[in-house]
Amino acid sequence: MTPLLELDDVEKHFPVRDALGRSRGAVRAVDGVSLSVPEGGVLAIVGESGCGKSTLGRVALRLIEPDRGAIRFQGEDLRRLSGAALRARRRDMQIIFQDPFASLDPRMTVEDAVAEPLILHGTVPRARIRDRVAEMLVRVGLRPELARRWPHEFSGGQRQRIAIARALASGPKLVIGDEPVSALDVSVQAQVVNLLQDLIRDLGLTFILISHDLGVVRHIADRVAVMYLGRIVEEGPAPEVFANPRHPYTRALLAAVPGQGTAAPPLEGDVPSPISPPPGCRFHTRCPHAAARCSAEVPLLLGAGHRAACHFADTLPPAAPLREADPGGERLRRLQAFFRPPPAQTGAMP
Amino acid sequence: MSASDDRSAGGRADLNRPRQPMSAVIESPAVAPAAESPGRRALRRFLRHRLAVFGAVVVLVFAAVALLAPLVATADPNATSWSAIRRAPSLQYWFGTDENGRDVFSRVVWGARASMMAGTISVVVALLAGVPIGLLAGLVGGWVDALISRVADAMLSVPFLILAIALAAFLGPALENAMIAIAISASPVFVRLARGMALDARATDWVEAARALGNPPWRIGLLHVLPNIVPPLLVQATLAIAEAIIAEASLSFLGLGQQPPEPSWGSMLNSAQRFLTQAPWLAVFPGLAIFLVVLAFNLVGDGLRDALDPRSDKR
C-alpha cells in the first residue's frame, strides 16, 4: 500500500543576508528529510525549537517551497502540480496552527471562516453550507448560535476549536497540527487533545502532530519522528521509541522531560547554529558517546520499522528505563479523564 | 489502537455519521450578550470622541451646503452689481460683496461645492488607483514590488503641492484637471501604505491559513488582506481629503483650478489680496471656510484613528 504522504530527501534552506544584502550562508531548516506517513493514525514530529519541525510541516503541504526533494501525496508529486491543481488538492490536506489568536482572520465571522473551505472546494451545495458549518461547530464542541460572532469574542481554546472546525470542514485526509495545543492553558490543552483524539478516530484522519511536548506526544502518537538540526535522527512506533530510544539525542530528550528522572546526564552546551551544522553526525558535539567516526561520517537512518541515525545505535548500552508515572503525561491524563464525560452518559449532548 | 477498524474504511472522512461519544462542551461561551462587528465597535468608540464628533458635524454641514448650494445661496453667485461694490457684511449681504458686486456668502456656498468635490473625488480616485497597486506590490513582491516602489518613491520625493501644481500646469487650467493632478499626487501615499500593510498581512498566520485552505491569490488579496487594511486607509483618506482641499484652493489661487467666474475659495482669496485693508471680508470668509473644513477633516481622521486602533481593545 502506498503511504498517504511521502517525503523524499526534502531540503529547505533559508538564505541569510547581511545588512548590505551579501549572502552569509543559509539556515538549513530542513536538510535532507525522508519520511513516509502511512494512512491513519498519528505521527508525531518532535524536537527542540529551531530544529526545523515547523518548516518540515509547511514544506510537507507545500506552503513553503522546498529547495530539493519530492513530496508525494497519495503517490502524486505535489511539486509537479500547478497553482490551481495544488489548491484543489488542499481539500485533502489541512493544517492547524499553534496560535489561535493569529490564525483566524480578525475580519471574518466564525461562520464565514468555517464556510470558506466549503466554498473554495464546493464540498457541499451552497444551500447546505450553513447547515454544514453548524454541524462542524457542534463537532468541535461549540454552540452553533455562535456562528455569527467575530474571533475577538472568543477565548483561546474556543478559537482553536474554530480553527479545527475550519481545517476539517472540507473533509481532509491528512491534517498537520503545528503545536496545536501548546499556546493554550493546561486545562484547555487537555480538552483540545481530547477533541483531536476523538476527531482523528471518528473521521479516520491521518494526523501529523508537530510538538515539543513529549507528554502529549506519548499520549496520542502512534509513531514518532525525532528531529535535530534539520534531520530526522530517529523514527519508529511510539511505544518502542519511548521504551527503547536508540539515538543518544532521543535519550537526552526523554530524560529532559520534567520529573522524568532517568539516569542519563543532561546535555552539555547549546544546539549548534543551523547555518553551519557540525560535520558528520550533527549531534556529535554534544553526544556523550561520540567517537572519531562521528565527526567524519554522516550516519544514515537505518533499521526496519524503528530506525535511528547513529553509528552506534546497536552497540549503545540500554537506555535507562523511564519512570512509569511521568508527571507531565499523568497530569494530562487526569485532566483528560476529568473533562471526558463518563461512558454511561456519552449518548446525548450535555 | 482500537480505532484502527474505523480507519480501514478508507476514503473521504464521513462527517455525517451519527455522533460518536465525544468530548463535552465544557467551555461555556462567556461572551457579550450580542455579537458586535468590528465596524460597530469602532463607531461606538468614535462617538465617544467629542472633538471627532464635532469635526464630523462640521463636515456634514459643509457637505450638505455643497449638495444643496442652489437652495442655501441667497443670490446668484455670478451676478454682478455695479451699485453694490465691496459692501461690508449686512443683513442683505451676509458676508458682504466683492469688487464686482457679487454676493460673497453665495460664492462661499458655491465654493464649498468645488472644494468638497475636489477633495473627495480626487481622494477616491487616488484610493482606487493607489490601493490595488500597493496591494499588488506587497502581495506579489519581487520585481513588481521593486518597480512600483521606486516609482512611488520618486513621486513622493517631490513635495505634494509642487507635484500637483506641475501636473495641473501641464494638464491646463480647469477644475477637472486640478482634481486629476491632486489625485495623481495623492496616490503614492496610498500605494506605500497599502504595500506596507499587505507585507505585514502576508506574514501573518491567518494569511498562511487562507493559503492552506486553498484560496487563490486574488481571494487572499481581496477577501482577507483588503478588509484588514481598510481602517488605516480610511484614516489616511480622511486626512488626505483635508490636504486635497488645501491643494484645490492653492491651485485655484494660482488660477490653475476653478476658472472665473465660477466661485472657488482659492480664487476668491486671490482676488481678495488687492483689497485686504479696504475689504477684509473678501478674504476672511473663504479663509475661514477653508480653515474650518480642513480642521474638521483632520479631527475626524484623528478620531477614526483612535476608534479603529486595534491596540486600544479595551472600552
Side-chain angles (χ1 to χ4, degrees), chain A residues 41 58 63 90 92 94 102 105-106 116 121 132 135 139 143 149-150 153 161 171 198 201-203 222, chain B residues 1 3 7 12-13 15-17 22-23 27 29 31-32 37 206 208 211-213 215 219 224 228:
Chain A
R58 282 162 171 76
L63 286 172
R90 299 209 177 281
D92 292 327
Q94 280 298 320
D105 186 337
E116 192 164 39
H121 301 293
R132 173 59 172 245
E135 207 176 283
R139 261 223 108 99
R143 297 210 319 259
R149 304 211 168 192
W150 272 265
E153 298 176 90
R161 286 170 191 261
D198 290 342
R201 187 192 57 223
D202 296 352
L203 307 178
D222 300 316
Chain B
M1 269 203 122
R7 292 184 189 125
R12 189 164 300 281
L15 293 162
N16 298 322
R17 264 185 293 177
M22 65 169 282
S23 46
E27 290 178 78
V31 287
S37 76
W206 48 265
E208 189 162 31
R211 282 209 304 136
L213 288 173
N215 274 291
R219 258 187 82 108
H224 290 277
N228 278 283

Side-chain angles (χ1 to χ4, degrees), chain B residues 5-195:
Chain B
D5 39 21
D6 264 20
R7 292 184 189 125
S8 59
R12 189 164 300 281
D14 182 5
L15 293 162
N16 298 322
R17 264 185 293 177
R19 285 179 37 72
Q20 304 283 308
M22 65 169 282
S23 46
V25 180
I26 292 291
E27 290 178 78
S28 65
V31 287
E36 189 181 36
S37 76
R40 209 171 258 281
R41 191 173 50 156
L43 180 68
R44 182 167 53 81
R45 292 208 301 227
F46 183 84
L47 290 177
R48 274 186 206 196
H49 205 306
R50 261 187 237 160
L51 276 175
V53 172
F54 166 74
V57 169
V58 172
V59 166
L60 287 177
V61 167
F62 271 95
V65 165
L67 282 173
L68 306 174
L71 301 176
V72 179
T74 50
D76 180 345
N78 296 331
T80 56
S81 161
W82 297 113
S83 57
I85 303 250
R86 292 203 303 273
R87 292 276 172 83
S90 65
L91 274 182
Q92 193 190 351
Y93 306 111
W94 294 352
F95 291 177
T97 62
D98 69 4
E99 73 278 11
N100 293 321
R102 295 175 294 198
D103 180 37
V104 174
F105 175 74
S106 302
R107 288 183 73 72
V108 168
V109 165
W110 280 89
R113 186 173 266 201
S115 286
M116 296 295 275
M117 252 176 53
T120 48
I121 293 180
S122 59
V123 168
V124 167
V125 172
L127 272 174
L128 289 179
V131 172
I133 294 174
L135 275 180
L136 197 70
L139 294 177
V140 176
W143 67 267
V144 175
D145 180 24
L147 180 72
I148 292 172
S149 295
R150 291 302 82 76
V151 171
D153 286 347
M155 291 172 78
L156 283 168
S157 69
V158 183
F160 172 68
L161 201 53
I162 307 288
L163 183 61
I165 290 170
L167 286 167
F170 172 73
L171 293 167
L175 186 61
E176 295 74 34
N177 289 343
M179 281 158 56
I180 295 171
I182 294 167
I184 293 174
S185 340
S187 54
V189 172
F190 295 109
V191 171
R192 188 180 261 189
L193 184 64
R195 171 186 174 268

Side-chain angles (χ1 to χ4, degrees), chain A:
Chain A
M1 194 176 104
T2 54
L4 184 65
L5 178 74
E6 211 176 358
L7 304 179
D8 191 4
D9 199 19
V10 170
E11 197 174 278
K12 179 66 198 179
H13 294 179
F14 294 102
V16 179
R17 294 182 192 286
D18 63 14
L20 297 174
R22 285 172 303 196
S23 178
R24 281 273 179 267
V27 172
R28 300 168 168 221
V30 177
D31 206 13
V33 167
S34 298
L35 189 64
S36 128
V37 184
E39 192 159 346
V42 179
L43 167 75
I45 298 175
V46 301
E48 289 165 274
S49 55
C51 72
K53 53 192 195 296
S54 285
T55 306
L56 182 64
R58 282 162 171 76
V59 165
L61 297 185
R62 215 183 138 195
L63 286 172
I64 295 178
E65 198 66 49
D67 302 326
R68 194 160 62 83
I71 312 160
R72 281 186 288 275
F73 184 76
Q74 295 182 313
E76 179 182 32
D77 191 346
L78 293 183
R79 292 193 65 197
R80 288 176 192 278
L81 293 181
S82 68
L86 178 66
R87 286 196 290 276
R89 290 309 262 143
R90 299 209 177 281
R91 172 179 183 161
D92 292 327
M93 40 186 209
Q94 280 298 320
I95 182 166
I96 300 163
F97 293 90
Q98 172 172 9
D99 182 0
F101 286 90
S103 66
L104 297 174
D105 186 337
R107 303 258 156 194
M108 263 196 175
T109 60
V110 172
E111 182 164 50
D112 291 341
V114 178
E116 192 164 39
L118 303 174
I119 295 167
L120 286 169
H121 301 293
T123 318
V124 295
R126 295 226 159 215
R128 281 256 305 129
I129 283 178
R130 193 167 288 188
D131 297 343
R132 173 59 172 245
V133 168
E135 207 176 283
M136 289 310 302
L137 291 181
V138 171
R139 261 223 108 99
V140 298
L142 290 171
R143 297 210 319 259
E145 305 92 87
L146 301 176
R148 291 303 185 80
R149 304 211 168 192
W150 272 265
H152 70 86
E153 298 176 90
F154 292 90
S155 70
Q158 291 172 325
R159 280 164 169 244
Q160 198 60 303
R161 286 170 191 261
I162 295 164
I164 292 169
R166 179 179 66 178
L168 298 182
S170 64
K173 297 187 176 77
L174 171 72
V175 177
I176 293 183
D178 184 5
E179 304 267 15
V181 299
S182 50
L184 307 175
D185 288 347
V186 174
S187 63
V188 180
Q189 272 188 9
Q191 298 170 36
V192 174
V193 168
N194 266 349
L195 173 69
L196 285 174
Q197 272 190 304
D198 290 342
L199 290 168
I200 290 164
R201 187 192 57 223
D202 296 352
L203 307 178
L205 297 176
T206 305
F207 197 83
I208 297 179
L209 175 71
I210 295 167
S211 179
H212 65 268
D213 185 341
L214 293 172
V216 172
V217 168
R218 193 176 185 187
H219 194 71
I220 74 171
D222 300 316
R223 292 185 74 79
V224 179
V226 182
M227 269 186 95
Y228 183 75
L229 276 179
R231 294 240 173 108
I232 290 179
V233 295
E234 180 160 3
E235 196 256 329
E240 254 192 74
V241 173
F242 277 100
N244 179 27
R246 293 178 64 207
H247 195 283
Y249 177 65
T250 312
R251 293 183 179 189
L253 205 60
L254 292 177
V257 174
Q260 196 87 78
T262 60
L267 283 181
E268 301 279 334
D270 290 324
V271 183
S273 161
I275 297 176
S276 51
C281 173
R282 298 191 166 192
F283 188 56
H284 81 260
T285 53
R286 302 168 79 195
C287 182
H289 308 285
R293 187 186 172 195
C294 297
S295 54
E297 200 182 320
V298 179
L300 300 172
L301 195 56
L302 295 175
H306 181 180
R307 306 181 296 161
C310 176
H311 294 305
F312 304 106
D314 296 324
T315 54
L316 287 179
L322 293 177
R323 219 162 49 187
E324 205 32 65
D326 57 317
E330 182 55 33
R331 186 184 54 187
L332 179 72
R333 262 195 296 283
R334 277 210 298 267
L335 279 165
Q336 275 201 300
F338 178 76
F339 286 118
R340 196 180 285 278
Q345 299 172 7
T346 48
M349 274 288 282

